Amino acid sequence: MINKQIISTLEKVRKQNPLVHNITNVVVTNFTANGLLALGASPVMAYAKEEVADMAKIAGALVLNIGTLTPDEIEAMLIAGKSANEHNVPVIFDPVGAGATPYRTATARRIIEELSISTIRGNAAEIANVIGIEWTIKGVDAGEGHGNTVELAQTAAKQLKTTVIITGKDDVMTDGSKTFVVHNGHPILTKVTGTGCLLSSVIGAFSAIEKDLLLAAVSALVTYGITSEIAANLTEEKGPGSFQIEFLNQLSKVSSEDISKYARVDKL
Ligand code: ATP
Ligand code: TZP
Ligand code: MG
Ligand code: MG
């Protein structure tokens, strides 16, 4: 049942080619644009405070990512986010590195307070720090977590009243009442920078065409995880550089048959 819904959601992304407005970090900008194109979405990066409100209102989704945040960029994110909220455009938030410095943590909290966020996606440490639970983080990478990520995601979803996605070896996603765990993925994703950031933008593309944000999340995570498994298999023994390119290739090819065959999803 869920596999059929995932397949039809992926088909809708490819058919509708949603415009995804990204305000993201300088590390991952090109990879994100290429990943969205490979998936079948239409990326745009726009940052000037003079234009972000106009861009956000015509987009299918707005993705905010604080990976290399600056005061000007945050101002632009808040303007874009308010416009998206006014025009019912879903806002996806990636709180990169929340918890690593007080400025990042405070900014992440400001964004969720001032905007209505549809979906927040991060590693366990980022989500924990956004809601005020201490969890070690090293730079932008998750530290060793000892907590229960299902409980953490459910607590965060109830507190923030959003869909919450915590990624890692297994990915947990919840709207606070329904919860899914996606087991697809490959450890080599942790050796390519920006695979988390691109994922947040891919979630944006799925959320642009599917109003049920939890279904959009499950569909995005399964598609992304299976793509990584296929690409890792094809570049075995080569390494992260070849994997990164093959990942983009496979994002454009991953099929309904692949999803039926390889999806590993549990509904809790
Ligand atoms: P971090 O900075 O902690 O790496 P991130 O923002 O890069 O976080 P990840 O949690 O790495 O985001 O998630 C990106 C993708 O990588 C997701 O699809 C996730 O399922 C996958 N992933 C991460 N770690 C693993 C792993 N050990 N095994 C399989 N897949 C993984
Ligand atoms: N530094 C600031 S943002 C960034 C780095 C290395 C990219 C993080 O990407 P991801 O997807 O969270 O691994
Ligand atoms: Mg990662
Ligand atoms: Mg990240």
Side-chain angles (χ1 to χ4, degrees), residues 147-170:
N148 176 329
T149 52
V150 170
E151 264 175 30
L152 174 61
Q154 289 170 341
T155 305
K158 284 180 194 141
Q159 196 171 314
L160 305 175
K161 297 188 176 63
T162 60
T163 302
V164 173
I165 306 173
I166 296 180
T167 53
K169 183 175 176 299
D170 295 314

Side-chain angles (χ1 to χ4, degrees), residues 94 96 121-124 126 140-143 166-171 182-190 192 194-197 199 221 224-225 228:
D94 187 333
V96 183
R121 198 289 314 166
N123 61 44
E126 290 161 346
V140 298
D141 292 328
I166 296 180
T167 53
K169 183 175 176 299
D170 295 314
D171 306 313
V182 171
H183 303 282
N184 296 102
H186 193 281
I188 199 167
L189 282 168
T190 65
V192 176
T195 52
C197 301
L199 171 61
L221 270 291
Y224 205 82
S228 73

Side-chain angles (χ1 to χ4, degrees), residues 90 92 118-119 163 165 203 207-208 210-218:
I92 315 306
S118 312
T119 301
T163 302
I165 306 173
I203 293 162
S207 305
E210 175 52 62
K211 279 198 169 58
D212 176 347
L213 295 173
L214 192 55
L215 173 60
V218 174

